[in-house]
Amino acid sequence: MSRSRRLQRLSSTSNSSSSSTSPERGEDDDNDSFMLQANDSQSSLGMEMSPENSQDDSARQEYEERCRVSPVHRLPAELLISIFSRLTANSDLQSCMLVSKEWARNSVGLLWHRPAMNKWDCIHNVVQSIRKSNKFFAYQDLVKRLNMSTLANQVSDGTITGMTDCNRIERLTLTNCTKLTDLSLQPLVDGSRSLLALDVTGLDQVTDKTMMTVADNCLRLQGLNVTGCKKLTDASIAAVAKNCRHLKRLKFNNCVQLTDASILTVADYSTHLLEIDLYGLQNLESPSVTALLTSCTHLREMRLAHCSRINDVAFLDIPHNPDHPRTFDSLRILDLTDCNELGDKGVEKIIQACPRLRNLILAKCRAITDRAVFAITKLGKNLHYIHLGHCARITDLSVEALAKACNRIRYIDLACCINLTDNSVTRLAGLPKLKRIGLVKCSGITDRSIYALAMGEIKNGRRINGISVLERVHLSYCTLLTLDGIHVLLNNCPKLTHLSLTGVQAFLRDELLAYCREAPPEFNDHQRDVFCVFSGGGVGRLREFLNTQKANAASDAAGSNGVGDNVSEMGDAEDSVTDTNGTNTPVMLVNVQGNHAPGATPVVPTPTSGSSNTPPVLLTHALSNHTWQQQYPLSAGGSSNLSQSAPASTGGPLWGGPPAGLGLGNQGGAQHVTGMMGAAILDEVDEGDEAFGEGSEIMGD
């Protein structure tokens, strides 16, 4: 290749390579996060190789030599930026900036895109660099994301005064920086025409003055979170809605001065809205909800918790055309917590208009009855999350229908539904994807419900849905529960990470509370006395402790009956049997279908391995008393009373000796007798065990 051709090719390559840092871009063009000011983006390479400055032969030779020694200089800016973006440590990017001017120009944007603001030293360095008069780059224009929520209430107006020159910020997060006022916020957002998301949660000193500035300058705004900004009024929110036509996500939680006036304006102008949260707006009435649903047809989430004035009219007034029924297929999440005036008719209309709801929260909607729950069953497989806590008028009839029709439920809360019995929980236990269930203060449930949750749906002695996927179970104040049932639950739910048993007398013992987490500091003395919640590693440690105690009790019982040697031999055999949760625990055979008193479910002796016709070892959950006794007959005095719901105690064994009258001899071999506390070894069926979809929200106590 001739020298002239080579120089021509190098010149064209140089021009294309420097295109990403061209100074000719407009002021509002922020599509490139790495754009620089004109006086800094003009590379020495570009000047040397541009047609008008290519007369200097020595400069050409110098560039040619650089490319010969290091071909990396031929890489275009876009490729360099892509390579640098793979570096995760700021120290590595700083090293890149020291290599050459070209590398510095293409790495500085990545380093300043989201400056670290989690320490005072970092803030000081950022502000100092921005204020320098002889700086190499216009750092203030490189900052795209600014997040000071880590320091929260330590941040004051003086802290962010030095950032007022950063007019190209796209995401500004000042969550819980409660000392900030209009004095610093208004200058910060003034001129920020690139701002896409603003979060000022908890800034209760912010007034309409700042929001009016946002409305006048931040025309591209898409997300606004003003949760807890109690001084904001309808005037500023209406101005934002009228001027910022690209709004998609709004959170007005506890903005107590807002009324229908501003929300109706939002409905009229923000037609692209995807999410809106109006938690705690006590002045909000039904017309606003009707307008939002009618105008914002792309709405995915609507949260109206504690909007106490909303009633059935909010949904019944939605325009309806029998020939062309209108549905809001995009709506996936609807929260109506504590909307006391909402009744069955409103819920029926919701289901009709929003047939693809995934999360429906009706907690404390005390007026709804079984009629509303029967309407919810029409959601079928779309329903993943349902909260009916404190809906005390619903009964087993509708809950069983819900479990049958909506078999993809992951989360269900039925706290304080006092009319429910074991029948409802047994049906819910068959849900193959159930991960979290809340039964707080469902005083009618017994160990039968707990066995059902532990084993899931069983047919012919086999689990239908494989290993339990339960993660969180809330059983506080279910006073009929015993140690036996909870131990079965622990041993058959290997994924369990949260178990609440507050107020359950059987667990108010020092040896068990040792594995309980600490009560929240705001609890009073009585609440602390009955608090009993196991979470994280505490669940596993509780399981191990109960298994150990039960094994010791069984060993002691067997030794007291003179069969220690035989029991020891069987114990060795049992050590090779691993439960579904990976632990080795005694096996058991119990029947929970019969009408037995709590803690008095009969226990079946397990045959020895030497028996020629040993039955399969399983928890006969689905068998009747008659069938169960035919398969595994008890000796005289067969049923036994195991642990009852014990009073609070610091001493004494968790379990006593072997049940009275339970024979140990069978076919010439010793039998190892265990109680309901043992783990069941099951034949598991993998049918329908498909992967989970999106996770459910976490339920607290």
Side-chain angles (χ1 to χ4, degrees), residues 216-433:
D216 292 338
N217 291 271
C218 309
L219 305 184
R220 300 177 58 189
L221 193 68
Q222 297 181 15
L224 177 63
N225 188 347
V226 291
T227 296
C229 298
K230 299 180 180 180
K231 293 186 177 181
L232 298 183
T233 68
D234 288 332
S236 61
I237 299 303
V240 170
K242 290 178 181 179
N243 293 348
C244 306
R245 297 297 188 89
H246 303 286
L247 288 173
K248 294 182 179 180
R249 293 171 176 84
L250 295 174
K251 287 183 178 290
F252 297 143
N253 305 17
N254 287 322
C255 294
V256 293
Q257 296 193 51
L258 299 187
T259 68
D260 281 352
S262 56
I263 304 305
L264 288 171
T265 305
V266 170
D268 289 339
Y269 290 92
S270 304
T271 55
H272 299 290
L273 205 61
L274 300 177
E275 302 172 13
I276 188 166
D277 193 339
L278 305 174
Y279 178 102
L281 270 60
Q282 297 292 333
N283 296 320
L284 192 71
E285 298 187 4
S286 296
S288 293
V289 179
T290 306
L292 284 170
L293 285 171
T294 305
S295 302
C296 307
T297 55
H298 303 292
L299 204 61
R300 297 175 187 170
E301 297 184 20
M302 178 182 280
R303 300 184 184 272
L304 304 168
H306 304 287
C307 297
S308 56
R309 296 189 181 184
I310 294 175
N311 54 33
D312 292 345
V313 175
F315 305 99
L316 295 177
D317 282 355
I318 295 174
H320 177 65
N321 185 345
D323 297 330
H324 301 284
R326 187 174 188 177
T327 60
F328 307 102
D329 291 334
S330 297
L331 195 63
R332 293 291 186 273
I333 299 175
L334 180 60
D335 186 352
L336 294 164
T337 298
D338 201 22
C339 294
N340 281 318
E341 297 185 21
L342 185 70
D344 292 338
K345 291 184 179 180
V347 176
E348 289 176 334
K349 180 63 176 180
I350 290 170
I351 303 305
Q352 177 188 343
C354 312
R356 301 188 66 183
L357 275 176
R358 187 187 64 198
N359 293 19
L360 180 58
I361 305 163
L362 297 171
K364 299 184 180 180
C365 295
R366 295 177 173 86
I368 68 172
T369 67
D370 283 340
R371 176 180 170 184
V373 181
F374 279 120
I376 295 171
T377 61
K378 296 178 182 178
L379 293 175
K381 294 182 178 181
N382 292 318
L383 187 64
H384 290 181
Y385 178 114
I386 178 73
H387 199 320
L388 296 169
H390 296 269
C391 299
R393 300 174 67 181
I394 64 176
T395 68
D396 286 341
L397 192 63
S398 61
V399 174
E400 290 182 46
L402 182 69
K404 182 178 180 181
C406 306
N407 63 358
R408 291 190 179 179
I409 291 176
R410 273 95 161 152
Y411 172 113
I412 186 167
D413 194 330
L414 298 166
C416 300
C417 295
I418 57 177
N419 292 322
L420 300 184
T421 69
D422 289 334
N423 293 334
S424 290
V425 183
T426 301
R427 175 70 73 169
L428 291 169
L431 294 171
K433 298 180 181 293

Side-chain angles (χ1 to χ4, degrees), residues 385-387 411-415 435-440 472-475 498 500 517 696-701:
Y385 178 114
I386 178 73
H387 199 320
Y411 172 113
I412 186 167
D413 194 330
L414 298 166
K435 300 173 77 173
R436 297 161 188 175
I437 185 168
L439 299 168
V440 174
R472 299 172 66 89
V473 181
H474 301 254
L475 300 168
H498 183 98
S500 66
R517 76 183 189 194
S696 305
E697 285 85 342
I698 293 177
M699 172 175 61
D701 287 307

Side-chain angles (χ1 to χ4, degrees), residues 436-453:
R436 297 161 188 175
I437 185 168
L439 299 168
V440 174
K441 292 187 179 179
C442 292
S443 54
I445 69 170
T446 68
D447 280 348
R448 180 186 168 203
S449 294
I450 307 306
Y451 296 134
L453 289 173

Side-chain angles (χ1 to χ4, degrees), residues 98-150:
L98 300 177
V99 171
S100 66
K101 291 181 179 180
E102 184 180 6
W103 278 39
R105 281 190 295 272
N106 291 306
S107 59
V108 66
L110 291 168
L111 193 60
W112 278 81
H113 180 73
R114 183 171 53 191
M117 306 291 282
N118 56 343
K119 297 179 181 178
W120 288 111
D121 289 344
C122 297
I123 294 177
H124 176 74
N125 291 336
V126 169
V127 173
Q128 191 177 37
S129 299
I130 290 175
R131 287 182 170 180
K132 277 185 178 180
S133 58
N134 59 340
K135 51 183 178 282
F136 291 101
F137 300 98
Y139 299 115
Q140 68 274 9
D141 290 338
L142 299 176
V143 179
K144 303 298 182 181
R145 298 188 180 186
L146 188 62
N147 187 341
M148 307 192 73
S149 58
T150 303

Side-chain angles (χ1 to χ4, degrees), residues 202-218:
L203 275 63
D204 53 7
Q205 300 300 315
V206 174
T207 69
D208 287 344
K209 187 177 180 180
T210 295
M211 283 299 112
M212 286 296 188
T213 305
V214 170
D216 292 338
N217 291 271
C218 309

